[in-house]
Amino acid sequence: MRAFFFKIAYWVPLLVMWVTLYGQKQKREVTVADYAKWSSIQAETISPDGRWFSYNLHYDYGVDTLFVQKIKSGKQLVYPKCADVRFSSDGRWLTFSDPEKGLALNDLATGNTMYLKDAIRHEFNSKENFLAVLSKNDSSDYLTIIALSTREKYIFNDVLEFSISSSGILAVSTGYEVRLLKPKLGFAQKTIAQDEDAGLKKLFWSSNGRFLSFLQEIKDQPKTAKNYSIFYHDVALGTNAVLDSRTTEILSMENITTYGGSSALRFSEDGKSVFFNYISPEQEQKAKAYEIWDSATALEYTQNKMYGDPNRLPKTAVWTPASGEILKIGTIENPKTILTADRKNALCYNLLKYEPQYEYYAPADMYLKDTKTGNEHLILEKQSTAVGVIGGSPKGNFIHYFRNGNWQAYDIDEKKHLNLTADLQVSMIDSIQNDAGSPSPYGSPGWSSDEKYFISYDQYDIWIIDVSSRQARRITNGRKHKITYRICLDLYPVIKKPSEDEFLIRKFDLSSGLVLQAVGKDGSSGYYKWTSNGTLQKLEFGNCGSSRMQKAKNTDQYIYIQQSAFNSPKLMAVSEKQKSRLLFQSNPHASKFKWGTAEMITYDDQNGNNLQGILYKPAGYINGKKYPMVVHVYEKQSQEINNYLIPTEYGPMGFTPSNYFLDGYLVLLPDIHYKLGEPGRSALNCVLSAVDIVKQMGIVQENHIGIIGHSFGGYETSFIITQTDVFAAAVCGSGLMNTISSYFVHSAGIPRSNAWRFESQQGRMPFSPFDNWKAYEKDSPFPNAANCTTPLLSWAGKKDPTIFWTQSAEFHMALRRLGKRNIFILYENEAHTIANPELQKDLTIKTKNWFDYYLKEKKDTLTNGIP
């Protein structure tokens, strides 16, 4: 008996190995011709009742297709070439766009579909159960309303725009008339404003649905900025009030404008006041034969022309029709404003106060102004205005801000500042980004909906801080296992449409719990549900990439995307009562092909920082065999380890890792940690450290290693090849080649010079060239071009507003003069990345040919030296 079991123990491992090898042999290699088989999941959504979901499959080489599927039964509806799904609030109705038939309205209960041609906008209304569709063709504009319960159709001609109140009443404008359509009266029309001069537009309802406001353009004002009058209609009383700046003393020298803000008009919470924007009616400036660039102006020339004169900036004001009172909130002294959530107060400030300065977001002195009385007082001096460092609470009682390494709050009623995180034993300062400039926080998603608690993040965990007692509660324990927890913000929409003059505010009902996203240091990820009693329920977590979670509005049904480097993305469903289950697996054909593997490597840079990187091994990898390798560089990339990379020739930067690991290459994506003042040398240090780790594995052909990067990665690539001969070939796209000239160049895309980019952001040079000229030269590709021994393929778009193509041209001319090998491709009508599909394919082929020539020694991939 012992001998029998001994034989079984001997043969079982051999049998498993034979089956594995047999399975691999049955799989075939992916060729370029096979790329067309792959698709990606896009635009997935779930119906409010949680019964249906939809998604698009996008094919780089074919026709995109829309799928609508029932979650329980798997029943599937298929619509080639269609997109843009919306479900009605009850989940019964579905709209989507058909490029040939128009807007489709599908009754999911019966399967019946009707089509509406020429639709440009549509909206479901749950209150009165109808669909409103605005259509436009060459001859007319018209509104179609479909009563969903009766299928009855109503058509209104000459409608240019519509807006639906919270009570379901429609306001429509024909340009010369504004009418109300009431569903309860069979959409009977009532004209509330009429003018043969037309120009009636920008319909906007108060949140309570009682008040409607809109604009009318004032004609016959050539040579000045456009001016509008404001209509304010009370639906309950049927009355209108009109604000005309020409007959109003406080606005007599101003024009009411549509510029600035999320909407031309906004209401106070009670609907009794209207916020609008005004601007100087300054005459339009004629083009001159010259420009005057003055070094004494607060801003550089182009910015000064756009923002240097406060008179020409749109500013916020508020009008109360009942009293006729008008208050200018934004002023010449402080033209910028941000309204609190209740719009009872506004932060007012002047971005010119500390100019000239060299951060992208200028600091400012912040004044808090009462939007009723106009009383204001200074609450913050020289506060950063960067995105994510200042915000407001959901009821409007607090302003929170990041300052001196801590989250702080200003209590508007009590007029006092509260340091919310001073007592925490962990840092709120983001140590991972390590950009130049002011320290930035790990972040804060906002407040509890009752404003009792402020929520903040450290590197790993989420903290809930009692505002009154400053007692902090850590609701996760990520630090112990190196797992980063964050609130899944996709599930918590902003309260109001975000804009320049409104805080981006989300509110979190802690009594209902929070859905959290978790990401491990090894790339594992998933979702948890935190409850107010402190429990943390795992919804899904594992060695995969989980993302793009959505929740059905009316149920606890969730959908999300799950994938890994070797498992094509899946659409998954999960709920608090039911485990994760598969809804749809993309690219099922992939199982028939050999695929690569991805593993996380770790290494230390020369400064002792422990870093990670992704190493893709080729399809059909054989132990003991050595392979050529391409290294892709760009800051931190290890977080992408569980991304499934479909092979394609249509990438915006000409490089897709799967194209290479499916063709016998190793592909390495190393993380880079930066020492300020040494961005190029930091990249060199980290990249070579990562390459050395792979060399120690004995799997790479050491004389056949290539390097590639785009944008800042292009800069890093070009600098690295001037410092080492490790790389046999290099490719650089849209790269910055001369740090000194780039610092001073005027970028059309911003528009301003790049000084801020170096001193306070990605360039990581926290000083100007005049403070340390040698540091800029030392970490610049151009001055070090003579040291380059690596053949370089470089490319740029001639219309790139971010990094001028002349940077690549300068480096090309330097290499040419030095007799170094460089092919430079200049795409005439492309920008920072390649948008034209034919040129995407061209660049992808040229890049691959370049590496094949130098790393695989395929001499036929170059013709007259060109890939």
Side-chain angles (χ1 to χ4, degrees):
M1 184 65 71
R2 181 181 298 170
F4 175 79
F5 280 111
F6 174 79
K7 290 176 182 178
I8 290 290
Y10 175 79
W11 283 106
V12 165
L14 292 179
L15 180 62
V16 170
M17 182 176 69
W18 179 84
V19 169
T20 302
L21 291 174
Y22 180 78
Q24 284 290 328
K25 287 180 180 179
Q26 296 306 301
K27 295 184 177 184
R28 67 180 183 87
E29 294 181 353
V30 177
T31 67
V32 174
D34 295 315
Y35 290 3
K37 295 180 173 67
W38 268 264
S39 65
S40 56
I41 301 173
Q42 296 183 354
E44 67 279 359
T45 188
I46 185 170
S47 64
D49 60 3
R51 297 175 62 219
W52 294 84
F53 69 99
S54 72
Y55 57 93
N56 278 76
L57 288 185
H58 169 71
Y59 292 86
D60 285 346
Y61 296 82
V63 176
D64 291 0
T65 304
L66 167 66
F67 296 84
V68 182
Q69 188 170 322
K70 211 165 188 177
I71 287 183
K72 282 191 176 180
S73 68
K75 176 184 176 182
Q76 193 177 75
L77 307 174
V78 183
Y79 304 102
K81 302 181 182 178
C82 298
D84 303 324
V85 163
R86 291 190 208 176
F87 290 99
S88 62
S89 60
D90 61 3
R92 174 171 177 173
W93 299 89
L94 169 81
T95 60
F96 58 88
S97 175
D98 186 310
E100 297 172 356
K101 298 179 181 179
L103 179 70
L105 174 63
N106 180 279
D107 184 344
L108 292 171
T110 66
N112 295 331
T113 303
M114 71 169 68
Y115 293 90
L116 298 99
K117 293 288 288 183
D118 308 316
I120 58 173
R121 181 183 163 230
H122 67 283
E123 184 177 338
F124 281 110
N125 181 260
S126 58
K127 183 77 174 179
E128 296 294 340
N129 197 30
F130 65 82
L131 173 71
V133 182
L134 185 63
S135 301
K136 181 181 182 65
N137 57 37
D138 293 337
S139 59
S140 65
D141 305 284
Y142 58 96
L143 177 70
T144 303
I145 299 174
I146 301 170
L148 298 176
S149 57
T150 64
R151 318 298 192 274
E152 193 169 355
K153 190 184 294 186
Y154 303 83
I155 297 178
F156 302 90
N157 293 319
D158 302 321
V159 174
L160 299 178
E161 64 174 291
F162 73 90
S163 181
I164 307 175
S165 74
S166 57
S167 60
I169 298 174
L170 284 99
V172 301
S173 174
T174 64
Y176 54 86
E177 277 187 342
V178 173
R179 306 169 188 157
L180 298 184
L181 311 179
K182 296 187 177 181
K184 286 184 170 59
L185 300 177
F187 298 99
Q189 302 183 66
K190 177 185 177 182
T191 299
I192 62 170
Q194 189 174 36
D195 196 309
E196 61 184 15
D197 284 340
L200 298 168
K201 60 182 181 180
K202 301 289 183 183
L203 306 168
F204 192 74
W205 286 97
S206 63
S207 59
N208 59 19
R210 175 173 171 175
F211 304 104
L212 174 72
S213 221
F214 50 94
L215 298 175
Q216 180 178 23
E217 185 178 343
I218 298 172
K219 305 292 185 178
D220 303 321
Q221 288 200 115
K223 300 182 180 180
T224 71
K226 285 185 178 181
N227 193 14
Y228 298 85
S229 56
I230 302 175
F231 283 71
Y232 175 90
H233 180 75
D234 186 327
V235 175
L237 299 178
T239 58
N240 282 339
V242 181
L243 175 62
D244 188 330
S245 63
R246 297 171 299 177
T247 59
T248 307
E249 183 177 355
I250 193 173
L251 294 173
S252 60
M253 302 301 292
E254 317 287 353
N255 282 6
I256 294 171
T257 180
T258 58
Y259 296 117
S262 57
S263 170
L265 303 169
R266 288 90 73 205
F267 282 98
S268 60
E269 267 194 332
D270 59 10
K272 294 181 179 180
S273 298
V274 179
F275 293 84
F276 63 94
N277 294 317
Y278 70 93
I279 198 169
S280 168
E282 181 178 326
Q283 291 187 357
E284 295 180 3
Q285 295 182 349
K286 294 182 179 179
K288 295 182 179 180
Y290 56 86
E291 298 174 345
I292 298 176
W293 294 43
D294 186 349
S295 65
T297 56
L299 299 172
E300 296 165 359
Y301 171 77
T302 306
Q303 278 207 310
N304 196 63
K305 184 178 178 182
M306 297 170 63
Y307 310 117
D309 182 359
N311 282 298
R312 299 180 64 194
L313 296 176
K315 293 172 280 292
T316 302
V318 60
W319 169 46
T320 305
S323 64
E325 292 181 2
I326 299 169
L327 173 66
K328 289 182 175 179
I329 301 172
T331 62
I332 296 297
E333 295 74 25
N334 290 303
K336 295 289 290 183
T337 58
I338 306 178
L339 297 167
T340 55
D342 58 4
R343 293 177 177 157
K344 292 180 180 178
N345 293 279
L347 276 184
C348 304
Y349 54 98
N350 190 340
L351 289 171
L352 299 178
K353 175 69 183 289
Y354 294 100
E355 294 288 355
Q357 56 82 45
Y358 299 99
E359 295 195 23
Y360 183 72
Y361 297 98
D365 294 344
M366 299 284 183
Y367 293 81
L368 189 70
K369 178 177 280 191
D370 187 309
T371 60
K372 288 282 188 184
T373 65
N375 295 332
E376 66 177 357
H377 59 280
L378 179 68
I379 64 168
L380 289 168
E381 288 186 85
K382 208 172 185 178
Q383 169 62 33
S384 171
T385 60
V387 173
V389 301
I390 191 163
S393 60
K395 292 184 177 181
N397 293 312
F398 297 92
I399 305 291
H400 65 267
Y401 56 96
F402 191 74
R403 192 178 179 97
N404 299 326
N406 281 296
W407 283 108
Q408 306 186 50
Y410 180 76
D411 185 323
I412 293 175
D413 288 339
E414 298 294 327
K415 296 184 179 180
K416 65 179 182 181
H417 295 267
L418 311 170
N419 193 321
L420 301 175
T421 58
D423 296 333
L424 299 188
Q425 301 302 306
V426 293
S427 175
M428 298 288 108
I429 297 175
D430 189 341
S431 62
I432 297 172
Q433 191 66 34
N434 76 302
D435 282 351
S438 302
S440 58
Y442 285 108
S444 164
W447 297 71
S448 62
S449 53
D450 58 10
E451 294 191 346
K452 291 182 179 179
Y453 302 95
F454 179 74
I455 307 169
S456 68
Y457 299 144
D458 69 19
Q459 183 176 353
Y460 296 105
D461 291 307
I462 302 172
W463 296 81
I464 294 178
I465 302 160
D466 187 307
V467 177
S468 60
S469 67
R470 250 82 86 223
Q471 292 296 310
R473 177 186 183 189
R474 189 187 65 193
I475 67 170
T476 57
N477 192 18
R479 187 171 297 274
K480 180 178 180 180
H481 302 289
K482 299 294 186 290
I483 296 174
T484 299
Y485 289 91
R486 298 292 184 256
I487 294 176
C488 184
L489 296 183
D490 291 340
L491 305 180
Y492 303 91
V494 295
I495 296 175
K496 294 184 176 76
K497 182 179 178 181
S499 69
E500 291 183 1
D501 64 354
E502 301 272 3
F503 283 122
L504 193 155
I505 298 173
R506 292 178 170 90
K507 58 182 179 180
F508 305 94
D509 182 0
L510 300 186
S511 64
S512 299
L514 297 169
V515 177
L516 311 180
Q517 187 162 22
V519 179
K521 188 176 181 181
D522 61 354
S524 56
S525 65
Y527 297 96
Y528 287 79
K529 179 67 182 285
W530 172 83
T531 59
S532 57
N533 63 14
T535 62
L536 201 60
Q537 175 191 354
K538 183 174 74 171
L539 300 178
E540 169 64 24
F541 189 86
N543 188 21
C544 58
S546 298
S547 61
R548 291 160 41 183
M549 176 171 270
Q550 295 184 38
K551 179 184 178 296
K553 184 177 180 181
N554 303 324
T555 72
D556 71 344
Q557 183 71 64
Y558 300 87
I559 62 170
Y560 65 97
I561 297 290
Q562 185 183 88
Q563 61 183 311
S564 71
F566 49 85
N567 280 323
S568 187
K570 307 171 186 176
L571 259 171
M572 306 292 292
V574 69
S575 70
E576 294 170 32
K577 298 177 182 177
Q578 194 171 19
K579 292 183 178 180
S580 259
R581 62 192 187 280
L582 176 67
L583 297 177
F584 169 72
Q585 167 78 63
S586 66
N587 302 308
H589 64 275
S591 61
K592 300 176 184 178
F593 293 91
K594 295 179 181 179
W595 199 255
T597 60
E599 62 184 66
M600 194 82 83
I601 64 165
T602 59
Y603 54 97
D604 292 334
D605 67 9
Q606 294 176 5
N607 298 315
N609 296 299
N610 184 250
L611 303 172
Q612 298 183 126
I614 305 171
L615 178 64
Y616 294 99
K617 291 181 179 178
Y621 173 77
I622 300 171
N623 281 324
K625 181 177 178 179
K626 293 188 176 183
Y627 297 88
M629 181 168 73
V630 174
V631 182
H632 180 269
V633 296
Y634 191 91
E635 301 200 347
K636 187 175 185 290
Q637 302 177 89
S638 61
Q639 70 277 8
E640 310 295 335
I641 190 168
N642 277 314
N643 284 359
Y644 184 84
L645 305 170
I646 67 170
T648 181
E649 296 173 294
Y650 296 99
M653 294 168 284
F655 178 78
T656 301
S658 54
N659 295 11
Y660 289 77
F661 66 64
L662 292 173
D663 191 34
Y665 282 92
L666 297 163
V667 182
L668 175 63
L669 278 61
D671 286 349
I672 298 170
H673 186 274
Y674 297 91
K675 181 178 180 181
L676 297 185
E678 300 180 6
R681 282 171 285 169
S682 297
L684 173 71
N685 170 6
C686 296
V687 169
L688 291 184
S689 296
V691 169
D692 284 344
I693 291 296
V694 181
K695 286 181 177 179
Q696 292 170 25
M697 296 178 183
I699 62 175
V700 64
Q701 298 172 3
E702 296 191 12
N703 58 338
H704 288 147
I705 302 174
I707 186 170
I708 184 171
H710 171 262
S711 192
F712 195 69
Y715 153 74
E716 293 170 321
T717 295
S718 299
F719 177 77
I720 287 169
I721 62 174
T722 67
Q723 305 296 307
T724 179
D725 60 0
V726 163
F727 300 100
V731 177
C732 164
S734 304
L736 182 157
M737 304 297 183
N738 188 332
T739 55
I740 293 175
S741 68
S742 183
Y743 178 99
F744 295 105
V745 75
H746 190 271
S747 172
I750 304 300
R752 62 191 293 188
S753 73
N754 278 327
W756 67 273
R757 198 184 296 278
F758 284 90
E759 292 196 43
S760 68
Q761 206 228 25
Q762 191 178 42
R764 299 179 172 90
M765 300 292 272
F767 42 76
S768 81
F770 299 111
D771 296 321
N772 194 337
W773 194 274
K774 288 185 178 179
Y776 274 80
E777 285 189 330
K778 196 169 185 179
D779 277 52
S780 175
F782 185 81
N784 295 287
N787 302 325
C788 181
T789 60
T790 303
L792 173 66
L793 172 67
S794 54
W795 63 269
K798 205 167 189 179
K799 294 186 177 180
D800 188 343
T802 305
I803 299 176
F804 289 169
W805 66 271
T806 50
Q807 286 278 307
S808 295
E810 284 181 27
F811 198 55
H812 168 75
M813 292 302 178
L815 295 175
R816 177 184 177 85
R817 181 64 181 84
L818 291 163
K820 308 289 185 177
R821 189 77 189 105
N822 173 230
I823 296 291
F824 172 46
I825 305 167
L826 184 59
Y827 290 100
E828 186 70 26
N829 294 307
E830 298 298 314
H832 195 55
T833 57
I834 307 300
N836 182 298
E838 291 184 9
L839 297 180
Q840 289 178 343
K841 184 174 182 179
D842 175 80
L843 178 59
T844 299
I845 292 171
K846 283 180 166 58
T847 300
K848 185 67 162 49
N849 286 349
W850 187 260
F851 283 130
D852 282 350
Y853 180 85
Y854 287 103
L855 307 186
K856 287 189 172 183
E857 299 184 5
K858 291 186 176 181
K859 302 305 180 183
D860 59 342
T861 62
L862 299 189
T863 304
N864 295 325
I866 298 179

